[in-house]
Amino acid sequence: MMARSETDTPRRILLLPGDGIGPEVMREVRRVMDWFARRQGIAFELQEALVGGASYDRHGTPLTDATLEQALQADAVLFGAVGGPKYDDLAFDQKPERGLLRLRKELGLFANLRPAKVFDALIDSSSLKPDLVRGLDIMIVRELTGGIYFGEPRGIETLPGGERRGINTQVYTTTEIRRVAAVAFELARKRQHRVCSVEKANVMESGVLWREEVKALHEAEYSDVELSHMYADNCAMQLVREPKQFDVIVTDNLFGDLLSDCAAMLTGSLGMLPSASLGAPGSDGKRKALYEPVHGSAPDIAGKGLANPIAMLQSFGMMLRYSFDRDDAADQLDGAIGRVLAGGLRTADIMQDGMAKVSTSVMGESIVRELDKAAA
Ligand code: IPM
Ligand code: MG
C-alpha cells in the first residue's frame, strides 16, 4: 500500500450533488473517496455546495457566484445531476440546467469526454445483440461551450402579427473547432488511432466549416491518426447498426448530446456512463475539470434507493485519471466495479433474470468491499 507522503498535497474537490438522484449517487462516491483516502493515502480536501434546483430553492438562483468561485478554485468539480418537474415553469435563466451550463461556460470546459464501454457482465443488458457490443469501447468527444447551446441571437419574440418565434443559433469559430478536434486526436493516439468527425455539412454552413477545420488540423498535425467524416444522422444509425466501427467520435454540442445518450444505451443503461469536461491547460499545465454522470436527475426514482451509482463512481474514476494522474487507482476502481457486476449484483436499471437486485447503497458498499478484498 502506498503511504501518504509530505508531497501529497490534498486535491481540492468541489462536490455539487444537485437534484433528484444526484445526492444519492454522490453519497456512494464519498464512500469510495473515503476508501482511497484511508487505504491508498490519496488525500482529498472536499467542499460541498448546492447547484441546480437545490440552489434555486435556497438562494433563488441555480448557481451562486460564491459557488462558481469555489468551482474556479477547485482542482476538480464532481457534479451529480440537476433538474426536475418542480422547476419546469421557471424562467430560463433560473432553470436548474442553467447552473450546469454556466459552470461549463465559465470554467471554459470545451471538451466533454463520454466513454461508452461495455462491461462483459452487462452484455445482455444492452438492447443490441451481444456480438455487436462485446468489447465495445467508444470515446465520444463532445464540444461543450459553443454551438447552439450558447449561440446568439437566441430567444422567443413576438412578431407584429402576434405570432411568436423561437430562435437559437448554431455558431462555431475556427478556434472552437480546432481545440476540441485536437483533444480527440490526442485521445485517439492513446487508443486505436481513429477519429470520426460528425456534423451535417450537407445542410449546415457551420458543419462545412467544422469539416474543413478538422481536415486542416489533421493534415497539419495529426496525419498519423486515421480521420473519417460522417453526417450526424448516419452516425446515429451506425451507432446502433455496428457500434464497434468507432474509436473516437468528435462532434458539436447538440449532436454530442444526442449521440452520447444513444451510445450510453449500448452499454446497457444510462446509469453506466460517466463523463469528464475539460478546459484548456493553464500556465501550470493543469486543466479545469468537471466530472459528471451522463444520466440526469431521474426525478421519478429519486429517494427510492433505485439509482445506479456506477456512472457517478466512474466519473470519479475519470477524475483520478485526467485530473490527478492516478490511472492505477482508476483501474482499481474499474476492476472492483467489474467484479461486483460479474458477481451478479444489479441495480434496477440493469437487472436481469437470475441476478440479485440491490439498492444504490448496497451497490456502493459492495464496490468498496471489493476494493478492500483486492487490496488485502
Ligand atoms: C447532458 C445533459 C445536459 C445537456 C442538460 C442537463 C443541460 O443532457 O449533459 O447531456 O443538454 O448538455
Ligand atoms: Mg444529454
Side-chain angles (χ1 to χ4, degrees):
M1 205 196 313
M2 291 188 38
R4 181 173 165 179
S5 73
E6 306 287 358
T7 53
D8 193 20
T9 45
R11 293 140 181 93
R12 273 174 309 169
I13 302 175
L14 176 64
L15 305 177
L16 298 174
D19 308 322
I21 60 171
E24 293 163 61
V25 292
M26 192 64 87
R27 210 168 298 138
E28 302 316 311
V29 102
R30 288 191 86 133
R31 235 191 261 280
V32 167
M33 287 173 141
D34 187 54
W35 186 87
F36 278 102
R38 257 186 311 113
R39 299 294 307 273
Q40 308 284 291
I42 307 183
F44 302 112
E45 189 185 304
L46 302 182
Q47 291 186 323
E48 187 168 328
L50 300 173
V51 72
S55 172
Y56 176 80
D57 289 341
R58 176 83 63 86
H59 304 294
T61 168
L63 180 73
T64 63
D65 291 342
T67 301
L68 174 61
E69 191 50 38
Q70 277 181 295
L72 286 164
Q73 296 306 323
D75 292 322
V77 179
L78 194 59
F79 189 98
V82 288
K86 186 177 157 194
Y87 308 104
D88 279 353
D89 297 328
L90 285 181
F92 217 66
D93 59 344
Q94 294 175 336
K95 280 194 194 298
E97 289 79 2
R98 289 317 297 176
L100 174 58
L101 294 171
R102 183 162 173 228
L103 276 168
R104 288 175 177 170
K105 191 70 176 176
E106 303 263 349
L107 270 63
L109 308 173
F110 64 86
N112 182 213
L113 281 47
R114 299 190 161 189
K117 217 170 158 171
V118 174
F119 281 92
D120 281 344
L122 289 188
I123 282 177
D124 293 321
S125 321
S126 173
S127 41
L128 295 195
K129 296 190 190 90
D131 282 347
L132 288 179
V133 293
R134 188 171 289 111
L136 180 79
D137 181 0
I138 302 177
M139 177 67 87
I140 297 188
V141 180
R142 167 189 176 192
E143 200 291 324
L144 203 61
T145 52
I148 203 160
Y149 270 58
F150 297 95
E152 302 278 349
R154 64 184 300 155
I156 300 176
E157 61 184 24
T158 304
L159 301 174
E163 194 174 33
R164 298 203 303 154
R165 178 161 70 176
I167 304 161
N168 290 93
T169 303
Q170 165 82 338
V171 51
Y172 272 107
T173 61
T174 308
T175 309
E176 287 175 318
I177 298 167
R178 287 193 178 217
R179 67 183 179 180
V180 74
V183 169
F185 286 127
E186 297 286 344
L187 282 167
R189 277 185 175 159
K190 295 184 188 157
R191 300 168 47 99
Q192 295 171 44
H193 284 76
R194 287 186 293 122
V195 169
C196 179
S197 169
V198 173
E199 26 58 12
K200 273 186 71 73
N202 50 346
V203 287
M204 298 164 75
E205 282 78 0
S206 59
V208 172
L209 183 74
W210 183 282
R211 190 176 285 218
E212 287 174 2
E213 291 301 331
V214 173
K215 254 190 201 161
L217 178 69
H218 175 250
E219 271 162 34
E221 291 176 44
Y222 296 102
S223 52
D224 55 309
V225 175
E226 186 187 315
L227 173 66
S228 60
H229 305 272
M230 202 179 266
Y231 297 141
D233 52 348
N234 185 23
C235 182
M237 190 266 275
Q238 295 297 339
L239 272 173
V240 290
R241 193 186 75 90
E242 200 197 326
K244 281 192 258 181
Q245 69 185 281
F246 297 107
D247 178 21
V248 176
I249 292 175
V250 62
T251 188
D252 77 15
N253 206 341
L254 183 59
F255 294 143
D257 182 43
L258 306 179
L259 296 172
S260 61
D261 264 30
C262 175
M265 236 15 240
L266 305 174
T267 70
S269 165
L270 211 45
M272 297 295 299
L273 209 75
S275 84
S277 305
L278 308 176
S283 49
D284 55 359
K286 285 189 192 161
R287 293 173 181 270
K288 292 251 175 298
L290 178 148
Y291 299 84
E292 58 171 322
V294 171
H295 63 66
S297 55
D300 51 321
I301 61 162
K304 298 183 183 157
L306 291 173
N308 183 347
I310 293 178
M312 186 81 237
L313 297 183
Q314 288 189 286
S315 299
F316 172 60
M318 291 187 86
M319 178 186 289
L320 290 168
R321 265 184 226 287
Y322 294 101
S323 283
F324 303 143
D325 216 12
R326 290 297 301 256
D327 287 59
D328 57 329
D331 289 344
Q332 264 180 302
L333 180 55
D334 280 349
I337 293 170
R339 288 191 302 279
V340 166
L341 293 173
L345 299 195
R346 298 284 186 273
T347 42
D349 57 313
I350 48 175
M351 185 56 192
Q352 293 160 279
D353 282 351
M355 301 292 153
K357 189 156 149 189
V358 298
S359 66
T360 311
S361 57
V362 170
M363 182 57 93
E365 284 160 12
S366 307
I367 291 167
V368 168
R369 206 167 315 123
E370 196 57 45
L371 281 167
D372 250 339
K373 259 198 242 163

